[in-house]
């Protein structure tokens, strides 16, 4: 019905009541739906409703700037880095179209950024100098079982020559000794030289331990007749003499099974001022779906991911040193599923909540606990409800960070399971014998919840879906504010857009929250229409921004050392009740281990507020932070940026 038609109906209402009633009888559901939608729009735009529940608005970039955003990082310039890479789009990947954008939420501008590799499903974190470390990404897309036309799989290559390594180019052909079938490598491979082993007491030579590498191989032609059912040794065509004797391949079944995504070793720093990627030394391991977590010395731990042949990295974790821009393996191995939620604790150890984004065995590395990276001691934590439903759950360090309380939200079964849980779980790691207890439940089982810490100490929990990647039109268009002080949820305004897999949220410096992404499998309840990637940005304005006024905050130093003080100016200084130092977010796949809100001691004098930064570098890792002050109504200021060296 058009607006003009609505006005004409109103004018005729007195003389046409009977006609209207007849039409309503015929078209009742449509009339009701139209009226309810108009009323809902009226209700959510009323000032009183916004003051109680907040408000959602949609931003749609011009067509040439839209992308399938997978990752979002708040920069210390106040802008947001939006990364798609190939955007879970095989056509983009094949055409080497890799995208990133810089969005300025103040000016409303968006800019394309040259992207050097496929940073789809990479890892990222904030560095001390304000650069963003980005590591890993996509080497090759998955092939589902029905899409695999050529038999193939993983071949282990061995080199028994202790004098030199062996390089095999892409396209090398391998022929089975027993089955006689030939397979072709889809990448080059460097096989290290063998290692000589001597008796420690006598010095007598014992043997050569062969060097080894792995490569994906495929049959040269399609068809099931090229599949193999058992392990075989493979000779390498083109090699002769000693090389042929010393270099060979071994493979188990080579078939038409599903092949997972493969990762890359690439690593970059993104410079927020120059707004460009800077290449740094590659990781030792290729990683797709890795987590990057800051350690107590400011170095960055790289964990998990699928490697360059699509297998879960077998616990070979590594550390990035920002001073040398190089990677070094950790002393011990420990395996986790992909995108594990790993948080730096105040004593320098790492808390693993059990939350993860998907790939990995269902019985390896899924128990929550506290991990000492240096000794590899792992202390399991008891009491977790629905422990088999942690995949695609979200975990957040509750404010203030000094309390070391964490909230785990929702989750689902391993892989493409339809199972999900409506539970939340709490753990207080400052307790003598910490264990999980249940928090308030959600209305629905929830995978992929988007979680953001707000400057008033509440936590926004929004979106997600009941089923894997929103199957069955199961997106949850609901949002809640969690209050750590009362351990309770309060329902607020509903988001306008459903967001599930590949969605996330980031707190902005003005106190609003930006939401991005969503990659549903299907677009209808019957799961018959393919899903469409959500390219629109949505902004949630919390209730606290609809009050009469917010405290002003200006001036202040650009740098405050740990244990040091800084003085800001505010006309409302006498009304300030708390000050928060919030680390900017870096989020993807329900994983954001960077965000934390630290309480600052403060004193006021006239229009001046002097704050003190805690001394503990594990509580306040080096880097850029947002400083917010909250007044006696719980209304936050706009943030001031401060660097903690």
């Amino acid at each position: 019905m058009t607006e003009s038609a609505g006005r004409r109906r109103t004018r005729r209402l007195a003389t046409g009541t009977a006609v209207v009633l007849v039409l309503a009888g015929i078209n009742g559901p449509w009339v009701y739906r139209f009226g309810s939608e108009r009323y809902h729009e009226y209700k959510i735009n009323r000032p009183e409703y916004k003051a109680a529940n907040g408000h959602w608005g949609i931003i749609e970039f011009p067509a040439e700037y839209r992308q399938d955003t997978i990752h979002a990082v708040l920069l210390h310039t106040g802008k947001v880095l939006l990364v798609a890479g190939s955007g879970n789009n095989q056509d983009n990947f094949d055409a080497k179209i890799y995208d990133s954008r810089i969005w300025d939420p103040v000016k409303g501008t968006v800019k394309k950024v040259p992207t050097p590799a496929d940073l789809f499903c990479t890892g990222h974190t904030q560095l001390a100098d304000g650069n963003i470390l980005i590591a890993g990404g996509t080497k090759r897309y998955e092939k589902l079982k029905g899409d695999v036309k050529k038999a193939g799989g993983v071949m282990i290559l061995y080199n028994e020559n202790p004098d030199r390594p062996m390089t095999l180019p892409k396209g090398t052909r391998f022929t089975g000794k027993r089955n006689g079938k030939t397979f072709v490598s889809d990448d080059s491979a460097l096989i290290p030289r063998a290692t000589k082993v001597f008796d420690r007491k006598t010095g007598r030579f014992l043997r050569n331990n062969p060097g080894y590498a792995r490569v994906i191989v495929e049959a040269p032609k399609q068809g099931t007749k090229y599949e193999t059912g058992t392990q075989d040794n493979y000779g390498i065509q083109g090699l002769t003499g000693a090389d042929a004797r010393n270099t060979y391949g071994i493979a188990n079944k080579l078939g038409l099974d599903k092949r997972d995504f493969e990762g890359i070793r690439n690593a970059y720093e993104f410079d927020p001022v120059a707004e460009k990627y800077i290449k740094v030394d590659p990781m030792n391991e290729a990683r797709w779906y890795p987590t990057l977590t800051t350690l107590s010395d400011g170095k960055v731990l790289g964990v998990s991911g699928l490697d360059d042949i699509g297998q879960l990295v077998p616990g070979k974790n590594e550390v990035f040193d920002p001073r040398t821009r190089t990677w070094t393996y950790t002393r011990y191995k420990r395996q986790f599923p992909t995108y594990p939620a790993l948080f730096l604790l105040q004593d320098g150890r790492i808390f693993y909540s059990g939350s993860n984004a998907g790939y990995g065995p269902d019985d390896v590395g899924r128990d929550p606990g506290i991990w000492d990276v240096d000794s590899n001691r792992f202390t399991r934590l008891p009491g977790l409800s629905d422990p088999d439903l942690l995949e695609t759950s979200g975990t957040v360090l509750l404010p203030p960070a000094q309390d070391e309380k964490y909230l785990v939200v929702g989750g689902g079964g391993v892989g493409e399971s339809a199972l999900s849980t409506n539970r939340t779980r709490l753990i207080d790691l400052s307790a003598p014998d910490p264990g999980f207890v249940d928090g308030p439940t959600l209305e629905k089982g929830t995978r992929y919840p988007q979680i953001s810490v707000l400057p008033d100490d509440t936590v926004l929990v929004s979106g997600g879906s009941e089923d894997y990647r929103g199957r069955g039109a199961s997106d949850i268009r609901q949002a809640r504010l969690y209050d750590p002080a009362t351990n309770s949820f309060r329902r607020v305004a509903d988001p306008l857009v459903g967001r599930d897999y590949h969605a996330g949220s980031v707190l902005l410096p003005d106190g609003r929250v930006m939401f991005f992404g969503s990659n549903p499998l299907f677009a209808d309840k019957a799961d018959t229409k393919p899903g469409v990637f959500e390219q629109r940005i949505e902004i949630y304005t919390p209730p606290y921004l609809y009050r009469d006024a917010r405290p002003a905050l200006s001036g202040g130093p650009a740098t405050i050392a740990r244990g040091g003080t800084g003085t800001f100016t505010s006309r409302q200084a006498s009304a300030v009740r708390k000050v928060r130092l919030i680390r900017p977010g870096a989020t993807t796949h329900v994983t954001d281990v960077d965000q934390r809100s630290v309480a600052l001691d403060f004193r006021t004098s006239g229009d001046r507020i002097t704050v003190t930064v805690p001394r503990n570098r594990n509580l306040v890792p080096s880097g850029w932070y947002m400083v917010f002050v909250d007044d006696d109504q719980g209304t936050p200021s706009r943030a001031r940026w401060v660097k903690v060296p």
Side-chain angles (χ1 to χ4, degrees), residues 189 351 385 555:
F351 168 57
S385 60

Side-chain angles (χ1 to χ4, degrees), residues 9 11 72 97-98 100 183 201 214 309 326 334 350 364 367 372 376 391 493 532 563 585:
R9 188 188 67 174
R11 287 198 297 270
I97 297 173
Y98 311 138
S100 299
F183 295 85
K201 293 182 178 179
R214 301 170 303 172
I309 60 170
T326 58
R334 180 163 293 279
I350 299 293
V364 176
D367 293 332
D372 186 324
N376 205 31
E391 196 159 286
V532 177

Side-chain angles (χ1 to χ4, degrees), residues 96-117:
K96 293 183 168 51
I97 297 173
Y98 311 138
D99 288 327
S100 299
R101 304 285 185 263
I102 292 285
W103 176 56
D104 188 331
V106 175
K107 296 180 180 179
T109 58
V110 59
K111 171 185 174 182
K112 294 183 179 181
V113 178
T115 307

Side-chain angles (χ1 to χ4, degrees), residues 178-341:
R178 292 194 299 273
N179 61 43
K181 296 178 180 180
T182 295
F183 295 85
V184 183
S185 65
D186 70 350
D187 208 346
S188 62
L190 173 63
I191 317 173
R193 71 188 69 194
T195 302
K196 295 180 179 180
V197 179
F198 298 90
D199 186 285
R200 290 185 177 182
K201 293 182 178 179
T202 66
R204 183 172 60 86
F205 173 77
L206 299 177
R207 65 185 181 277
N208 288 328
N209 282 348
Y212 75 94
R214 301 170 303 172
V215 70
I216 297 291
V217 296
E218 282 187 334
K221 295 182 180 180
Q222 297 182 8
T224 58
K225 67 179 182 179
Y226 295 100
E227 290 187 287
T228 69
T230 58
Q231 179 177 295
D232 200 355
N233 281 32
Y234 290 80
I236 301 173
Q237 294 185 16
L239 298 185
T240 59
D243 286 343
R245 292 191 300 273
N246 288 326
T247 312
Y248 54 92
I250 296 178
N252 292 313
K253 176 186 175 184
L254 297 174
L256 298 174
D257 298 324
K258 174 184 181 291
R259 296 175 196 168
D260 281 320
F261 281 92
E262 298 171 11
I264 58 177
R265 299 169 59 221
N266 303 45
Y268 303 89
E269 289 186 19
F270 185 83
D271 185 332
V273 177
E275 296 183 348
K276 68 177 183 180
Y277 291 95
I278 302 167
K279 191 171 185 178
V280 299
D281 277 5
M283 295 181 289
N284 294 299
E285 297 292 322
R287 300 183 189 272
W288 185 87
Y289 267 49
T291 292
L292 303 184
T293 298
T294 299
L295 297 175
S296 58
D297 56 4
K299 296 177 182 178
V300 177
L301 175 68
V303 170
S304 193
L306 299 187
D307 63 17
D308 55 352
I309 60 170
Q311 296 189 343
L312 187 69
V313 176
K316 299 168 73 174
N317 306 313
E318 51 191 307
V319 172
F320 178 76
D321 187 338
R323 292 172 296 180
T324 62
R325 289 179 168 173
T326 58
W327 298 83
T328 306
Y329 281 121
T330 57
R331 183 178 178 184
Y332 300 104
K333 294 181 180 180
R334 180 163 293 279
Q335 193 168 36
F336 297 93
T338 54
Y339 279 132

Side-chain angles (χ1 to χ4, degrees), residues 6 9 15 61 63 132 216 269 273 322 336 373 396 418 519 557 563:
R9 188 188 67 174
T15 58
F61 293 160
I132 310 302
I216 297 291
E269 289 186 19
V273 177
F336 297 93
V373 178
V396 62
N519 194 182

